[in-house]
Amino acid sequence: MPLIRLDKYISQRSQLTRSQIKALCGRGKITVDGAVVKSSDTKIDPERSVVVADGSRILARSERYILLNKPEGYVSSTDDGDGPSVLELVPEELRTKDLFPAGRLDKDSLGALLITNDGELAHNILSPKRHVSKIYIVKLDRPFQNKYIDIFKNGVELRSGEVCLPVKVKMVENCEKLAFIELSEGKYHQVRRMFAAVDNHVSALMRVSVGGLILPEKLGFGQCMELLHKDVENLEKPLDFDAFCREFSGVFSAILINK
Ligand code: URA
């Protein structure tokens, strides 16, 4: 395992910032394997070192969490079947052998996809029982109709006969062919099939949040960012759908309108 800087190790696993860590080091408040470390750029072994900062043990974790802004044309599986795998977009320095996409986006779909090696977290965010909701913005062939709100709230029946859990949907203000939709289950092609059930057609779809984690505007299609362990805690926090739509409709509709 390559050595990493002490301040990087601690800041990724706690709320402490690098400057706070430097200050704690200066005051002799950080120990590694029992010895006081005065310099925050000291290299440590992230898997073996026992790090204590201001009296608290900073536990080593080997889980990795990567947020990808998925572009079209990539498949959300670990092997190339029907196209290149999203894993090919993970930069070399972030790759480990055990990474997999936590959840699926269709080959044509865009947006937030979590790639991790943490099976437990993946299970938690995918299980409908945990109610980790995902928000999508969709581009429709025909104008949004207000009746969709109640139909989706009551659990729309797909053409296959399957009934969906209640979901929230909202037209993007002044864009009658764009809508936000929030759901916490993940049936195959669910969003596309829900709109098909009300005789509309989704021509573009982008996932813009997973739980409390919002796709950052600065992350371009095909780009990845490593999430800090403290960011991962946000995944299981709920978002307020209406507030989200108000705040982010400008940003995400500008991206989707040209697709
Ligand atoms: N629903 C869909 O139809 N497609 C996706 O990629 C995600 C949700």
Side-chain angles (χ1 to χ4, degrees):
M1 169 58 71
L3 301 183
I4 64 167
R5 284 174 58 126
L6 177 63
D7 52 3
K8 179 172 184 190
Y9 175 94
I10 299 176
S11 64
Q12 285 184 333
R13 293 163 177 80
S14 73
Q15 300 296 332
L16 293 169
T17 63
R18 287 193 184 213
S19 53
Q20 288 169 327
I21 296 162
K22 192 171 178 188
L24 284 173
C25 275
R27 286 163 43 215
K29 294 281 194 184
I30 298 190
T31 60
V32 176
D33 298 329
V36 170
V37 174
K38 285 284 194 177
S39 170
S40 60
D41 61 4
T42 304
K43 295 280 177 56
I44 64 158
D45 179 337
E47 286 199 341
R48 289 175 204 276
S49 306
V50 176
V51 179
V52 178
D54 208 15
S56 301
R57 171 90 188 266
I58 310 290
L59 291 174
R61 290 171 63 177
S62 58
E63 290 90 354
R64 175 153 280 178
Y65 307 95
I66 296 161
L67 180 65
L68 166 69
N69 186 357
K70 182 190 168 301
E72 287 165 282
Y74 285 80
V75 293
S76 307
S77 60
T78 45
D79 49 10
D80 304 358
D82 188 26
S85 159
V86 287
L87 296 181
E88 292 182 20
L89 296 166
V90 177
E92 204 70 52
E93 67 275 13
L94 294 181
R95 279 191 206 173
T96 58
K97 278 211 279 304
D98 48 1
L99 289 176
F100 61 90
R104 284 183 174 265
L105 280 177
D106 301 336
K107 190 175 173 186
D108 290 346
S109 298
L110 306 162
L113 185 67
L114 185 71
I115 295 176
T116 184
N117 55 2
D118 183 344
E120 189 182 334
L121 180 102
H123 174 264
N124 288 350
I125 62 173
L126 297 177
S127 163
K129 289 195 192 113
R130 302 295 286 241
H131 302 293
V132 175
S133 63
K134 291 101 195 163
I135 300 179
Y136 302 83
I137 183 168
V138 291
K139 188 173 174 185
L140 301 169
D141 275 0
R142 282 178 282 285
F144 183 89
Q145 294 184 39
N146 279 335
K147 67 177 184 187
Y148 298 166
I149 296 173
D150 279 339
I151 297 176
F152 285 5
K153 191 169 83 187
N154 294 326
V156 65
E157 183 174 341
L158 304 178
R159 287 182 176 160
S160 61
E162 287 166 272
V163 177
C164 299
L165 293 173
V167 306
K168 290 185 184 162
V169 64
K170 198 180 180 75
M171 190 186 100
V172 172
E173 216 173 315
N174 302 322
C175 288
E176 57 178 14
K177 291 192 176 173
L178 291 182
F180 283 110
I181 178 165
E182 179 186 46
L183 44 149
S184 58
E185 55 176 350
K187 297 187 196 302
Y188 181 65
H189 292 334
Q190 181 163 345
V191 174
R192 296 175 198 273
R193 289 159 73 213
M194 288 172 79
F195 282 98
V198 291
D199 296 321
N200 210 322
H201 176 77
V202 171
S203 61
L205 179 154
M206 180 175 178
R207 182 152 66 198
V208 290
S209 78
V210 178
L213 186 72
I214 298 169
L215 185 69
E217 202 182 329
K218 64 177 196 315
L219 197 67
F221 289 118
Q223 290 184 337
C224 287
M225 60 184 272
E226 187 170 18
L227 299 177
L228 304 180
H229 291 273
K230 57 196 180 202
D231 298 329
V232 173
E233 286 163 18
N234 280 336
L235 278 167
E236 296 200 50
K237 292 192 186 142
L239 274 187
D240 177 332
F241 180 67
D242 293 314
F244 175 90
C245 296
R246 272 196 304 278
E247 191 172 344
F248 291 97
S249 61
V251 173
F252 292 123
S253 58
I255 297 172
L256 207 68
I257 205 79
N258 298 317
K259 286 282 170 192

